[in-house]
Amino acid sequence: MFQKYNFEKPDNLPELFENSVKKFAERPYLGTKNKQGEYEWITYQEIGRRVDNLRAGLTAIGVKQGDVVGIICNNSVNWAVAHFAAAGLGALFVPMYEAELVRIWEYIIADSAVKVLLVSKPEIYEKIKDFPSKISTLEKIYVMQGDGKNTMAELERIGEKKPVKAIYPRPEEVAVLIYTSGTTGDPKGVLLMHGNWTSNHHARVRAYSAFNPDDRTISLLPWAHCYGLGELHTFTAVGGSLGFMESVSTVVS
């Protein structure tokens, strides 16, 4: 007889994230290099506030549990905010690479039934602005740069005015669809549950028990890949810090 698996707590991504925001509020979380080549760090509390605002903003435009939110963006502060905001609504998150063919973006967005799409910059928006006329499920595209109309910043401002509490999905509910490269055909979407991500984290900290809040890493692996996204989850859970690399060519081997 099948025996139900008991997931270790936290067993969902919103709870994992919110636990860390409470516990490590003033600690540095995500770092980006400034023009002087020095890292500037944003705290857990600051990211938590943005996640709260974007979650409410997504709710205001009709995103609800079970809907699909897509993103075309490299690892960044905005990526993390979007990921945890979508998770806190019980929405499915579909990450895509910036360095991808337009036809692959179109295929993934249609195949996963993306409802709302976030894109990193106007240059990408110009390439895909006609997608809503081609893809029946796609209702809206928002640009993550800037602060004007139809931007992620606008959604955060909307959400700040009417907060929405995060829900904690069951561990069996799908959190992320990660698509394969499609080198041998069309990309295949892999359904990954909240419990997949959290159980991997719990196993990781058992295997590497030295993880602690003073740990800091350079974010190299893309979060559109399960290895990179797992790193984000574990460093978040232990209260560590992640700094974004400028490019592969600037990383000293």
Side-chain angles (χ1 to χ4, degrees):
M1 181 180 291
F2 176 77
Q3 183 175 359
K4 182 176 174 62
Y5 179 81
N6 292 317
F7 287 91
E8 184 175 348
K9 299 289 186 178
D11 58 11
N12 63 85
L13 294 176
E15 186 175 13
L16 179 149
F17 175 74
E18 291 193 341
N19 285 353
S20 290
V21 171
K22 294 173 185 175
K23 187 174 181 180
F24 307 111
E26 299 302 325
R27 291 192 63 82
Y29 181 22
L30 301 174
T32 305
K33 276 191 176 182
N34 59 25
K35 293 180 180 179
Q36 290 72 45
E38 300 174 345
Y39 275 99
E40 295 181 347
W41 296 92
I42 303 176
T43 66
Y44 278 81
Q45 185 176 62
E46 291 169 318
I47 297 295
R49 187 178 303 114
R50 288 194 58 192
V51 168
D52 289 345
N53 292 343
L54 182 59
R55 181 177 63 246
L58 289 171
T59 299
I61 61 169
V63 177
K64 58 186 182 302
Q65 189 167 10
D67 284 339
V68 183
V69 175
I71 182 173
I72 302 173
C73 185
N74 294 334
N75 298 9
S76 64
V77 170
N78 283 342
W79 201 109
V81 170
H83 174 47
F84 288 115
L89 290 175
L92 286 67
F93 198 65
V94 181
M96 290 165 274
Y97 299 98
E98 285 190 26
E100 188 57 272
L101 299 173
V102 174
R103 65 175 179 81
I104 298 298
W105 288 334
E106 184 176 355
Y107 176 84
I108 291 174
I109 292 164
D111 185 67
S112 60
V114 168
K115 181 176 183 178
V116 172
L117 178 64
L118 303 168
V119 301
S120 62
K121 51 193 176 185
E123 293 86 342
I124 292 178
Y125 173 78
E126 288 300 318
K127 295 178 182 179
I128 53 92
K129 62 184 178 182
D130 64 336
F131 277 10
S133 66
K134 300 178 180 180
I135 303 170
S136 61
T137 61
L138 184 58
E139 297 180 2
K140 197 69 177 176
I141 302 173
Y142 289 87
V143 179
M144 303 171 83
Q145 286 183 358
D147 60 3
K149 187 177 180 181
N150 296 329
T151 63
M152 182 169 160
E154 179 190 44
L155 284 178
E156 292 179 52
R157 286 194 296 271
I158 292 170
E160 186 176 14
K161 297 174 183 177
K162 193 174 181 180
V164 173
K165 188 177 180 180
I167 66 169
Y168 290 173
R170 299 188 310 275
E172 298 86 1
E173 294 182 50
V174 176
V176 183
L177 279 74
I178 287 187
Y179 276 77
T180 63
S181 62
T183 52
T184 58
D186 290 330
K188 307 296 189 297
V190 181
L191 303 172
L192 295 165
M193 307 180 302
H194 284 266
N196 288 134
W197 296 110
T198 56
S199 63
N200 282 351
H201 159 67
H202 294 307
R204 204 174 288 124
V205 295
R206 281 195 177 86
Y208 303 97
S209 58
F211 271 125
N212 67 80
D214 293 324
D215 286 335
R216 179 167 291 176
T217 187
I218 295 178
S219 180
L220 298 171
L221 294 174
W223 292 343
H225 189 285
C226 59
Y227 286 176
L229 190 48
E231 180 182 53
L232 170 63
H233 294 156
T234 287
F235 269 81
T236 298
V238 302
S241 307
L242 300 96
F244 301 109
M245 68 175 181
E246 293 172 291
S247 71
V248 173
S249 63
T250 64
V251 177
V252 179
S253 58

